[in-house]
């Protein structure tokens, strides 16, 4: 069920129940008021007859063979005057002898013949005055009044439901416009959603969607760079291996051995790239877990273990005594990839600097700076941009992003790069 149908159904049902409840209460109240009013009319009629008799008592003294008082126009009303002994002194043509049966002062309802009558009896100076209404006349009067009330009430109810339907449709029209925009979009279209005259309740949804599109666009751009880097990382060693194997087939002796050695280096590099890809896939599949944090010293020792050309790394002395809020395996991978990247793209020594600081939110962080001097001035290889340093930096970015850190790169005065790795700390720094 759509949101519009759900709103119309729920609001319409509540609206209908409320109005029908009010109608039922009005009907009961009106029925009671009509009955009360007609009873008051009976009592007033009896009181009026009693007043006439009090002024003309001779009306009761005269004896008549037919004690008929008057022929009323409405046969639904009747009046009867009896003595204390039960003798009928005067009566209207609509009265019946059954009125005198066990009639006591006050109101009562009795079936006379095939009709129900409402009676009121007033006792005055030993005389019983009974006035009566036929119940069918009362019901007809009440139905007439109710009909007059029901017609405008029904029209107002139907009009209210129509206005409710129109208001819900109009109120949800911006949402329908947003749905139409999203339905017409192609998967490649990540432009922000533009919704005219959006209500305040829909603005956060539009802003969230635009933020999502922005993040998806950034992710797709990162994935494109990653794919380019992966293709480059695979293409270079494969081309080298193929070239060295072709050379080895054509030569012999020392030159063949050198070609095979170079091909073996290409295989090792290809194996390293494959392991990086497997590691990246494993982290995405299993999540960034692996235990509690680790000391900074353990991270550095793990990153330097079996690292080729580790003698080119200038380390800080002593190591800071601090506990990282990052699992050891991931912290070691992040720092080792930065060091390998610096050694790969630098011809001189690389320097590792560590410093603890506090960010804008008040969280303690460890800042690790890996500084290289860039390629040799005589080398033909040029310095590439920070976004094209291969799979290692892609893994570093994933780790620091997951744990609230940062990876910042900038060129330095030595024509090299400064890679600043910021990782959160669990405890405050005790030694620097």
């Amino acid at each position: 069920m759509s949101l519009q149908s759900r709103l119309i159904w729920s609001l319409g049902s509540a609206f209908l129940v409320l109005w029908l409840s009010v109608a039922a209460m009005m009907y009961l109240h009106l029925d009671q008021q009509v009955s009360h009013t007609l009873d008051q009319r009976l009592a007033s009629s009896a009181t009026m007859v009693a007043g006439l008799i009090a002024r003309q008592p001779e009306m009761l003294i005269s004896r008549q063979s037919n004690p008929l008082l008057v022929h009323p126009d409405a046969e639904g009303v009747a009046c009867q005057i009896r003595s204390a002994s039960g003798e009928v002194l005067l009566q209207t043509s609509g009265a019946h002898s059954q009125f005198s049966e066990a009639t006591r002062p006050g109101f009562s309802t009795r079936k006379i013949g095939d009709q129900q009558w409402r009676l009121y009896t007033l006792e005055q100076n030993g005389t019983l005055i009974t006035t009566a209404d036929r119940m069918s006349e009362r019901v007809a009067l009440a139905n007439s009044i109710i009909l007059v009330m029901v017609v405008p009430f029904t029209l107002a109810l139907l009009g209210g439901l129509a206005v409710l339907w129109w208001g819900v449709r109009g109120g949800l029209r911006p949402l329908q416009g947003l749905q139409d925009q999203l339905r017409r979009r192609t998967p490649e279209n990540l432009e922000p959603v533009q919704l005219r005259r959006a209500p305040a309740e829909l603005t956060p949804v539009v802003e969230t969607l635009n933020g999502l599109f922005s993040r998806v666009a950034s992710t797709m751009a990162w994935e494109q760079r990653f794919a380019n880097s992966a293709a480059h990382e695979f293409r270079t060693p494969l081309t080298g291996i193929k070239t060295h194997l072709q050379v080895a087939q054509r030569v012999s002796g020392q030159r063949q051995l050198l070609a095979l050695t170079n091909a073996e280096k290409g295989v090792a590099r290809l194996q390293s790239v494959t392991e990086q890809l497997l590691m990246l896939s494993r982290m995405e599949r299993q999540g960034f877990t692996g235990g509690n944090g680790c000391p900074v010293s353990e991270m550095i020792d793990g990153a330097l273990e079996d690292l080729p050309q580790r003698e080119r790394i200038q380390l800080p002395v002593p190591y800071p005594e601090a506990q990282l809020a990052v699992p050891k395996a991931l912290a070691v991978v992040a720092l080792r990839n930065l060091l390998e990247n610096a050694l790969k793209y630098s011809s001189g020594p690389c320097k590792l600097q560590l410093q603890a600081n506090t960010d804008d939110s008040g969280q303690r962080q460890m800042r690790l700076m890996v500084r290289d001097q860039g390629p040799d001035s005589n080398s033909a290889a040029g310095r590439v941009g920070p976004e094209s340093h291969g799979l290692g930096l892609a893994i570093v970015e994933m780790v620091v992003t997951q744990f609230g850190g940062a990876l910042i790169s900038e060129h330095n005065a030595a024509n090299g790069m400064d890679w600043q790795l910021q990782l959160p700390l669990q405890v405050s720094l005790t030694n620097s």
Side-chain angles (χ1 to χ4, degrees):
M1 183 182 292
S2 64
L3 179 60
Q4 175 177 305
S5 301
R6 188 178 305 171
L7 280 174
I8 292 177
W9 174 257
S10 58
L11 294 178
S13 300
F15 191 74
L16 190 61
V17 169
L18 179 61
W19 277 61
L20 290 179
S21 301
V22 173
M25 290 188 293
M26 290 181 62
Y27 171 78
L28 295 176
H29 179 71
L30 181 62
D31 184 65
Q32 293 176 356
Q33 289 298 319
V34 170
S35 298
H36 179 71
T37 301
L38 293 178
D39 284 347
Q40 292 298 318
R41 188 187 69 166
L42 283 179
S44 299
S45 300
T47 302
M48 180 183 65
V49 173
L52 292 175
I53 294 175
R55 290 188 177 186
Q56 299 179 0
E58 63 274 8
M59 296 175 58
L60 302 179
I61 298 175
S62 61
R63 298 292 181 179
Q64 302 180 18
S65 59
N66 183 13
L68 179 62
L69 178 63
V70 67
H71 285 275
D73 293 335
E75 296 183 358
V77 295
C79 180
Q80 186 181 77
I81 303 174
R82 293 175 288 108
S83 64
S85 60
E87 179 184 3
V88 178
L89 303 177
L90 292 173
Q91 69 179 9
T92 61
S93 61
H96 298 270
S97 60
Q98 289 89 339
F99 284 3
S100 61
E101 296 179 1
T103 301
R104 292 175 296 178
F107 291 99
S108 62
T109 303
R110 182 179 302 173
K111 186 175 183 180
I112 301 176
D114 58 349
Q115 297 287 336
Q116 288 283 344
W117 289 77
R118 181 68 169 171
L119 308 178
Y120 176 74
T121 300
L122 175 65
E123 182 178 3
Q124 177 178 287
N125 299 328
T127 303
L128 298 176
I129 303 171
T130 301
T131 55
D133 272 345
R134 195 158 49 192
M135 294 298 297
S136 59
E137 301 294 335
R138 288 191 171 208
V139 172
L141 177 61
N143 290 337
S144 299
I145 297 175
I146 292 172
L147 181 62
V148 173
M149 180 193 71
V150 165
V151 172
F153 189 88
T154 303
L155 293 177
L157 175 61
L158 296 177
L161 291 175
V163 171
L164 177 65
W165 175 81
W166 177 81
V168 170
R169 281 181 58 91
L172 295 180
R173 190 170 292 115
L175 189 60
Q176 183 66 39
L178 176 61
Q179 178 185 355
D180 295 339
Q181 281 196 40
L182 297 178
R183 186 175 60 249
R184 292 193 299 265
R185 276 179 173 247
T186 60
E188 297 80 13
N189 185 5
L190 297 176
E191 295 295 325
V193 175
Q194 301 293 337
L195 196 61
R196 297 180 179 178
R197 292 179 293 180
E201 292 78 7
L202 197 57
T203 300
V205 178
V206 176
E207 293 177 350
T208 303
L209 278 175
N210 291 337
L212 175 62
F213 289 152
S214 177
R215 292 193 298 273
V216 171
S218 300
T219 302
M220 292 181 63
W222 180 86
E223 290 179 350
Q224 183 64 40
R225 294 196 303 269
F226 174 80
N228 294 337
S229 299
H232 177 74
E233 292 283 349
F234 272 106
R235 187 186 302 113
T236 301
L238 285 174
T239 302
I241 293 172
K242 181 178 179 181
T243 301
H244 293 306
L245 290 177
Q246 289 175 349
V247 172
Q249 291 175 353
R250 298 176 183 177
V251 298
S252 60
Q254 188 66 26
R255 294 180 61 188
Q256 186 182 49
L257 182 61
L258 179 60
L260 291 176
T261 301
N262 291 332
E264 185 179 359
K265 292 180 179 179
V267 172
R269 181 178 176 186
L270 187 61
Q271 181 182 5
S272 176
V273 173
T274 304
E275 290 176 353
Q276 296 276 21
L277 283 175
L278 291 176
M279 180 182 298
L280 186 61
S281 175
R282 185 166 56 253
M283 284 193 295
E284 289 182 340
R285 183 176 64 255
Q286 298 179 355
F288 293 81
T289 58
N292 299 323
C294 67
V296 175
S297 58
E298 293 185 8
M299 176 190 66
I300 297 176
D301 293 340
L304 294 177
E305 184 178 357
D306 298 331
L307 179 67
Q309 304 181 31
R310 61 172 296 177
E311 66 276 0
R312 293 172 52 194
I313 304 296
Q314 299 178 3
L315 300 175
V317 179
Y319 293 163
E321 297 179 4
Q323 187 83 5
L324 294 173
V326 180
K328 178 181 177 180
L330 298 180
V332 168
V333 168
L335 180 57
R336 186 181 181 92
N337 285 340
L338 280 184
L339 295 175
E340 288 180 345
N341 179 78
L343 293 173
K344 178 181 178 181
Y345 289 97
S346 175
S347 59
C350 300
K351 187 176 182 180
L352 177 62
Q353 298 177 348
L354 292 89
Q355 179 183 358
N357 61 352
T358 304
D359 61 7
D360 295 337
S361 62
Q363 182 181 13
R364 299 284 292 174
Q365 288 189 339
M366 176 60 66
R367 184 178 63 182
L368 300 96
M369 177 78 74
V370 178
R371 172 170 294 176
D372 63 70
Q373 297 182 2
D376 191 349
S377 58
N378 297 324
S379 175
R383 188 62 162 168
V384 294
E387 70 280 357
S388 305
H389 276 65
L391 303 177
L393 293 184
I395 296 177
V396 176
E397 289 180 350
M398 294 186 66
V399 171
V400 299
T401 301
Q402 179 67 23
F403 290 94
L407 178 63
I408 304 173
S409 63
E410 60 182 0
H411 293 277
N412 55 37
N415 197 28
M417 295 291 297
D418 288 344
W419 294 94
Q420 183 181 127
L421 179 64
Q422 296 181 358
L423 297 175
L425 293 175
Q426 286 186 348
V427 294
S428 301
L429 188 66
T430 58
N431 251 338
S432 58

